[in-house]
Amino acid sequence: IATLLKGEEAIIAEESLENIPLKLLEMGCIPGATVTLLRKAPLNDPIYICVNDSHLAIRIALAKQIKVIKS
């Protein structure tokens, strides 16, 4: 997710399942879901994303672990 540009959409890859914390999985951040990067904080950490109409702020370190397929 960390490689996305502002406004860019992608699909969360299946291989990321092991790296996604349970809290994010419960919020809909699951493989196959569409994710959009909404904005980055001034120092690029955290980032603000939209997953299945839910807006989430996540740390850049976690975002780097979640692989995506750009659409």
Side-chain angles (χ1 to χ4, degrees), residues 23-39:
K23 182 185 277 187
L24 288 180
L25 290 171
E26 290 172 346
M27 293 179 171
C29 194
I30 57 175
T34 301
V35 60
T36 306
L37 179 64
L38 299 176
R39 69 179 75 129

Side-chain angles (χ1 to χ4, degrees), residues 51-67:
V51 180
N52 293 333
D53 295 326
S54 296
H55 293 208
L56 308 170
I58 62 172
R59 292 275 194 200
I60 197 74
L62 176 59
K64 287 179 180 178
Q65 296 177 13
I66 302 173
K67 306 285 186 234

Side-chain angles (χ1 to χ4, degrees), residues 15-26:
E15 63 221 32
S16 295
L17 184 59
E18 296 175 0
N19 298 328
I20 303 172
L22 181 59
K23 182 185 277 187
L24 288 180
L25 290 171
E26 290 172 346

